[in-house]
Amino acid sequence: MPSTQHAQQTPLEIWERRTRRPLLGLALVFAAAYAVPVVDPGVPDAVHTACRAATWGVWALFAADYVVRLRLAEDRWRFVRTHVLDLCAVLLPLIRPLRLLQLVSALLLTGRLATAAAQVRLTTYVAGSVLVLWLFGALAVLEVERGKPDANIHTLGDAVWWAFTTMTTVGYGDLAPTTGLGRLLAIGLMISGIALLGLVTANIAAWFISQVERESEHEEQQTQALRELTREVASLRAELTALRQAEAGGGAGAGPAGGAVPGPAGEAVPRPAAPRE
């Protein structure tokens, strides 16, 4: 029997929940198909063709997913306005069919899928985004710089080192892109790296703050419990003191003088004398 939470979901939410993992798997397929020809340009032509077909096929499936979600949305215009990155990811390869634009599309769509997953913690997602951006930034700059005149990024190791120093804004200057597209990649990598690393730092700080607040709240609860216990003990002591005083007062005034017994109207009635033998 479906849970109440799932029963209350809209068709769009159900579609996104069911397609999240398959689309993430397709993103991994795209990553492999994109990386193989870049890392080893000497692979056979059949491998090149297969990788190209895989990248376009994954993009087509992501585009189909966007169309389906648009049709399932209750307010389609609002869906378009709130999913601008998804729309750009679908349209970029059509504007100019470059593998690099397909890479940007896949990164945007994968980011949307990862953030939609409720079970993925923010720190894990951001750390994974940093890793993906670093590796794919290195592959992208290697693809556009390798073999160009005056270029100094020729190997995967050079590209990985350059991407790392660029994302962390260290910028040693030993390696740098020389083409216009490579410099655009550098700008995007620097901005994205600063933003993502800032998110990592902020999220770690927020986690520490939440831990301190949780401990403070626990200590406050313990302090409040001790105060309540102290008040109860004081109340019990007051009641015990009152009972002791009542018993002491009752013992001191027990029985009227002269052996008289109180009558019905409160008058003292003499006690009858015991018979003599």
Side-chain angles (χ1 to χ4, degrees):
M1 180 179 295
S3 63
T4 305
Q5 181 181 3
H6 288 172
Q8 294 177 349
Q9 288 182 333
T10 63
L12 175 60
E13 293 172 341
I14 294 175
W15 171 266
E16 290 180 341
R17 177 172 55 84
R18 291 180 177 177
T19 59
R20 184 176 301 139
R21 291 185 178 179
L23 290 180
L24 285 174
L26 289 174
L28 295 177
V29 172
F30 178 90
Y34 177 83
V36 168
V38 177
V39 174
D40 187 8
V43 296
D45 293 338
V47 176
H48 273 282
T49 303
C51 291
R52 188 181 300 275
T55 55
W56 279 106
V58 170
W59 170 83
L61 291 174
F62 275 123
D65 170 69
Y66 179 85
V67 173
V68 172
R69 289 188 294 127
L70 179 61
R71 291 178 61 87
L72 293 176
E74 297 178 357
D75 188 347
R76 295 179 181 177
W77 175 240
R78 182 176 180 274
F79 178 85
V80 173
R81 287 187 288 107
T82 55
H83 294 76
V84 176
L85 291 180
D86 294 3
L87 181 60
C88 292
V90 172
L91 295 180
L92 277 177
L94 293 179
I95 297 173
R96 189 178 180 185
L98 290 177
R99 284 163 50 83
L100 185 58
L101 292 180
Q102 285 182 299
L103 172 62
V104 174
S105 301
L107 289 175
L108 290 175
L109 290 169
T110 305
R112 190 268 301 174
L113 293 172
T115 52
Q119 69 272 16
V120 179
R121 297 180 62 87
L122 178 60
T123 303
T124 304
Y125 163 66
V126 174
S129 299
V130 170
L131 180 62
V132 170
L133 186 64
W134 170 45
L135 293 178
F136 277 94
L139 291 174
V141 79
L142 178 62
E143 183 180 17
V144 301
E145 289 288 316
R146 184 167 46 195
K148 298 298 188 297
D150 300 327
N152 55 14
I153 300 177
H154 302 287
T155 65
L156 181 61
D158 293 339
V160 169
W161 172 250
W162 169 84
F164 186 81
T165 57
T166 301
M167 285 190 64
T168 55
T169 66
V170 175
Y172 285 114
D174 53 344
L175 298 173
T178 57
T179 63
L181 188 55
R183 289 171 178 172
L184 287 177
L185 281 171
I187 293 173
L189 196 61
M190 285 185 283
I191 295 175
S192 303
I194 293 172
L196 289 175
L197 292 176
L199 283 176
V200 171
T201 305
N203 195 46
I204 293 175
W207 181 81
F208 277 111
I209 292 174
S210 65
Q211 293 297 317
V212 172
E213 290 179 348
R214 187 178 304 172
E215 292 179 0
S216 299
E217 182 179 357
H218 182 65
E219 292 178 357
E220 181 65 25
Q221 291 176 353
Q222 290 183 336
T223 303
Q224 186 65 25
L226 288 175
R227 290 174 181 172
E228 292 291 338
L229 183 59
T230 302
R231 283 195 291 266
E232 291 180 3
V233 170
S235 177
L236 290 175
R237 284 182 176 178
E239 292 180 3
L240 183 59
T241 302
L243 289 175
R244 287 177 176 175
Q245 291 176 352
E247 290 179 357
V261 180
E267 298 177 355
V269 178
R271 185 186 298 273
R276 293 181 180 180
E277 294 181 1

